[in-house]
Amino acid sequence: MRKILVATVKPFAPVAIKKISKIFNKAGYELSLLEKYELKEQLLSAIADAEAAIIRSDKFDEEVFEAGKNLKIVVRAGAGYDNVDLEAASKRNIVVMNTPGQNSNAVAELAIGLAIFGLRELFSGKAGGEMRGRTLGLHGFGYVARNVFRIARAMGMKVIVYTRYSKGAAAAIGLKVTNSLEQLYEKSDIVSIHVPARGEHIKSVSYEVLQHLKDNSVIVNTARKEVINEPDLIRIMEERPGIKYMSDLTPDAEAEFVEKFPGRCFFTPKKAGAQTAEANLNAGLAAAEQIVDFFEKGDTTHQVNK
Ligand code: 3PG
């Protein structure tokens, strides 16, 4: 019987586990659960006889792949797979997939929530601002950004975007694409970041870009901390006392941000963007179905290490 491991430091909602278990039962596979684990050794021992794994932000490095002697496929239930060492997987012929789009509405709703929290002065009692009539700049235009766009438009916002890879998709829905990242930051009241922690996006939010921000703008980050150049962000926030930073990712320099910018920054205690029952169901079930389709039909759709 194939053993499928669900290894999640941050567990799925019980309703999602119930349905994932049904999918594997029907396929004749055995489900093994490793939730809220604290030690890497627990993962190394649980992966030893698994043929497939469903993970979230769980780190799958060389050592984990080495321990997974029977492993054929790992599905990251979510979008970003920067936690998975693709090279280590590929050299062992292990397929890595993600589940694009499945948790994007949840993350988008949190991005909007963080924007409102920032605009409303962190609910401190100070007079804040409204979303309606303001310009929202989308840095990147993947699934999450498209959901943010849908919600923002309904709130009466003007939305603009900077994207290199999805210009056609943005133009098709009448969204204005700026010529540069600098122009996006210059024209936005709120910037919402939606690029992966890969390639040219790493530290792409740098001083050169940030210096173009308006005085009272809010930066919302539900993507990854690695896309921010933190010393540059701290510098601009020191120079321009109206700028705020609201993030679902804890920055490396968290203590410095908190000390220097009271009332101007907020970090969720644990990444919460995709942590809804709906997102867990969407991404968890998609991951389970992708595993069954891979074993039963050889389907490699959504493979990210081709
Ligand atoms: C993603 O990349 O899908 C999101 O960042 C959600 O990550 P999580 O599954 O660790 O909450």
Side-chain angles (χ1 to χ4, degrees):
M1 198 185 238
R2 293 188 197 280
K3 178 177 148 181
I4 319 292
L5 176 70
V6 173
T8 49
V9 166
K10 197 168 55 181
F12 288 124
V15 61
I17 292 296
K18 215 169 146 187
K19 293 203 174 173
I20 289 170
S21 159
K22 266 195 183 160
I23 292 173
F24 290 142
N25 255 338
K26 195 171 158 216
Y29 306 167
E30 182 196 337
L31 168 68
S32 160
L33 261 186
L34 177 69
E35 294 180 315
K36 293 190 196 171
Y37 57 95
E38 282 167 7
L39 303 171
K40 191 175 187 184
E41 284 63 40
Q42 294 173 273
L43 177 60
L44 296 178
S45 123
I47 201 76
D49 57 347
E51 281 192 61
I54 296 179
I55 61 170
R56 294 183 63 177
S57 294
D58 305 79
K59 211 168 173 43
F60 263 48
D61 58 12
E62 184 79 45
E63 201 183 353
V64 178
F65 282 110
E66 184 55 29
K69 295 281 183 227
N70 293 329
L71 213 49
K72 313 273 181 314
I73 175 168
V74 173
V75 182
R76 193 280 190 243
Y81 45 87
D82 45 307
N83 50 317
V84 181
D85 184 338
L86 296 187
E87 217 174 286
S90 298
K91 74 180 181 209
R92 294 173 174 84
N93 288 322
I94 298 169
V95 168
V96 180
M97 294 182 186
N98 66 350
T99 63
Q102 297 292 347
N103 58 19
S104 51
N105 180 66
V107 180
E109 288 189 11
L110 185 78
I112 293 286
L114 288 172
I116 293 174
F117 193 43
L119 268 186
R120 292 296 182 106
E121 301 292 344
L122 285 64
F123 303 159
S124 62
K126 249 167 93 180
E130 299 182 21
M131 299 284 270
R132 187 173 63 176
R134 280 194 160 72
T135 298
L136 173 75
L138 298 171
H139 178 170
F141 198 55
Y143 289 100
V144 178
R146 290 169 207 205
N147 277 285
V148 173
F149 164 66
R150 171 179 52 77
I151 303 166
R153 197 175 47 173
M155 296 179 89
M157 301 189 82
K158 181 176 174 209
V159 186
I160 56 176
V161 63
Y162 177 70
T163 171
R164 277 198 198 166
Y165 308 102
S166 307
K167 282 187 183 161
I173 50 172
L175 195 46
K176 184 175 165 22
V177 182
T178 62
N179 294 327
S180 65
L181 198 51
E182 285 78 2
Q183 205 180 64
L184 182 91
Y185 278 62
E186 182 188 307
K187 291 187 181 310
S188 302
D189 299 302
I190 296 159
V191 174
S192 192
I193 302 170
H194 302 290
V195 287
R198 279 201 302 277
E200 86 263 22
H201 300 302
I202 307 271
K203 295 196 191 331
S204 59
V205 183
S206 63
Y207 190 80
E208 287 82 77
V209 172
L210 291 165
Q211 65 181 331
H212 295 274
L213 280 171
K214 292 185 188 178
D215 276 344
N216 292 308
S217 51
V218 179
I219 304 169
V220 175
N221 184 6
T222 53
R224 289 291 184 269
K225 70 174 173 109
E226 289 80 2
V227 303
I228 304 278
N229 181 321
E230 288 186 16
D232 285 6
L233 178 57
I234 289 170
R235 181 177 162 199
I236 201 80
M237 287 179 73
E238 280 170 343
E239 290 173 4
R240 313 264 299 282
I243 293 174
K244 295 195 185 71
Y245 181 49
M246 307 283 120
S247 179
D248 192 25
L249 299 313
T250 308
D252 292 332
E254 181 186 15
E256 193 177 348
F257 274 99
V258 170
E259 192 203 319
K260 288 188 170 161
F261 311 119
R264 294 172 56 203
C265 64
F266 172 78
F267 312 116
T268 52
K270 228 181 217 177
K271 186 155 67 111
Q275 200 56 331
T276 66
E278 291 89 339
N280 290 174
L281 271 171
N282 291 341
L285 266 56
E289 275 155 10
Q290 285 171 216
I291 287 173
V292 174
D293 286 349
F294 170 76
F295 283 127
E296 305 305 324
K297 303 180 200 158
D299 187 342
T300 55
T301 310
H302 302 316
Q303 181 175 354
V304 293
N305 63 334
K306 269 186 183 150

